[in-house]
């Protein structure tokens, strides 16, 4: 069985797609693309798909990952094209590589986030961030399936800084990878650059925002826009290594024996 690892994005209005809705859409895309996906054994076989740390509903992402098992060899790039064409615009398949070993989940222990705070002055945001970063512990509450829980939102935060501000995003450079606000115009906008370790219980961007409210009374007047920029292994220097990097390095060359996705 061949294993393929995929990076995909959730953009625009499709950021409101829940993980369950995406899973259903992805399984339909596999069927439409004629992908020879492998199935589990037993009375209720299901496609061999494993997801890694899906972003919360309402959060955009440029770095979502999953792995699928296939019944036969396919060319990963042709698979990527077939799946991307079968999914709605905004659910975009960015890369597909053949797994060369190890576990995808073991290569992800941190995430980098961009949090846009329209109508928040960057100086005010900077003071709040400094207060949060200086604290040894920031207790916040979240409603979970087990009830309301209190936990520390500070310990998991590796880096939090105010990254920048613009007054208009109509010009070149605005967009998901630019570090500039993506859906605000002609208003001040503080942008937070946040790196968080993946711990249990998980600390999400909204937990950090709750911590900023608790510690420094920072209350954005309009809903923030959150985008996950990267996931991967956290280095000692605070950088995040792409979990597909090791697979790319060990990637075998494509040869004529490979069967494109959709071929009978």
């Amino acid at each position: 069985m061949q294993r393929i690892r995929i990076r995909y994005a959730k953009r625009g209005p499709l950021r409101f797609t829940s993980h369950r809705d995406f899973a259903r859409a992805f399984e339909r895309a596999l069927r439409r693309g004629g992908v020879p996906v492998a199935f589990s054994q037993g009375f209720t076989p299901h496609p061999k798909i494993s997801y890694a740390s899906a972003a919360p509903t309402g959060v955009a992402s440029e770095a979502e990952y999953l792995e699928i098992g296939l019944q036969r060899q396919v060319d990963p790039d042709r698979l990527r094209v077939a799946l991307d064409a079968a999914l709605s615009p905004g659910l975009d398949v960015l890369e597909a590589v053949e797994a060369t070993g190890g576990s995808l989940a073991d290569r992800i222990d941190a995430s980098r986030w961009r949090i846009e705070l329209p109508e928040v002055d960057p100086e005010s945001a900077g003071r709040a961030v400094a207060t949060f970063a200086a604290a040894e512990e920031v207790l916040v509450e979240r409603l979970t399936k087990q009830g309301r829980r209190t936990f520390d939102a500070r310990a998991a935060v590796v880096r939090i800084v105010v990254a920048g501000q613009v007054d208009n995003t109509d010009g070149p450079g605005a967009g998901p990878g630019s570090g500039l606000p993506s859906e605000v115009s002609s208003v001040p906008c503080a942008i937070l650059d946040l790196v968080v370790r993946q711990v249990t219980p998980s600390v999400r961007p909204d937990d950090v925002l709750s911590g900023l409210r608790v510690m420094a009374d920072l209350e954005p007047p309009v809903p923030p826009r959150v985008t996950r920029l990267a996931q991967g292994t956290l280095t000692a220097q605070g950088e995040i290594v792409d979990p597909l990097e090791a697979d790319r390095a060990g990637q075998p060359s494509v040869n004529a024996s490979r069967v494109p996705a959709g071929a009978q």
Side-chain angles (χ1 to χ4, degrees):
M1 182 179 69
Q2 184 187 31
R3 292 184 299 143
I4 299 290
R5 290 171 178 166
I6 290 171
R7 178 170 71 96
Y8 66 95
K10 292 170 58 180
R11 296 167 171 164
L14 271 297
R15 68 183 184 274
F16 294 104
T17 303
S18 70
H19 174 62
R20 182 172 296 180
D21 288 338
F22 174 80
R24 284 195 291 260
F26 187 73
E27 289 185 23
R28 288 196 298 269
L30 290 171
R31 292 193 294 270
R32 290 172 184 167
V35 178
V37 63
F39 283 79
S40 62
Q41 304 297 315
F43 291 105
T44 56
H46 58 273
K48 290 196 172 183
I49 308 171
S50 58
Y51 298 90
S53 185
T57 303
V59 171
S61 179
E62 295 295 310
E64 300 298 287
Y65 293 91
L66 62 84
E67 179 177 301
I68 58 175
L70 303 179
Q71 297 174 7
R72 61 177 185 270
Q73 295 285 104
V74 303
D75 174 26
D77 194 55
R78 292 189 181 185
L79 173 66
R80 181 196 64 78
V81 171
L83 289 175
D84 190 53
L87 286 167
S88 300
L91 297 177
D92 303 320
V93 180
L94 306 179
E95 186 175 8
V97 299
E98 185 169 1
T100 57
S103 165
L104 181 59
D106 289 343
R107 298 181 188 174
I108 297 178
D109 61 18
S111 293
R112 181 185 175 197
W113 305 85
R114 183 182 64 230
I115 305 176
E116 300 170 15
L117 303 175
E119 301 185 27
V120 172
D121 177 68
E123 291 188 5
S124 299
R127 290 192 293 270
V129 163
T131 301
F132 180 95
E136 293 186 2
E137 183 181 65
V138 179
L139 297 179
V140 299
E141 287 189 344
R142 186 204 303 161
L143 185 62
T144 69
K145 294 179 180 179
Q146 291 74 38
R148 189 166 293 278
R149 295 190 60 181
T150 299
F151 58 94
D152 181 14
R154 175 64 186 91
V157 175
V158 177
R159 180 174 75 243
I160 180 170
V161 297
V162 178
Q165 173 196 23
V166 297
D167 292 325
N168 195 313
T169 62
D170 293 334
S178 65
L180 305 182
S182 53
E183 288 191 355
V184 292
S185 153
S186 301
V187 294
C189 179
I191 305 174
L192 307 186
D193 183 9
L194 175 69
V195 176
V196 182
R197 291 189 184 90
Q198 296 189 3
V199 296
T200 303
S202 62
V203 174
R204 307 180 309 202
D206 57 317
D207 299 319
V208 175
L209 291 173
S210 294
L212 291 171
R213 183 171 62 251
V214 168
M215 296 298 296
D217 200 28
L218 181 68
E219 186 73 54
V222 297
R225 178 179 169 88
V226 180
T227 303
R228 174 146 57 189
L229 299 179
Q231 290 192 79
T233 305
L234 187 69
T235 69
Q237 293 73 36
E239 300 300 321
I240 293 180
V241 178
D242 186 340
L244 302 187
E245 184 173 302
D247 296 310
R248 294 190 205 100
Q251 205 68 194
S253 59
V254 176
N255 57 57
S257 66
R258 296 209 169 189
V259 181
Q264 301 297 319

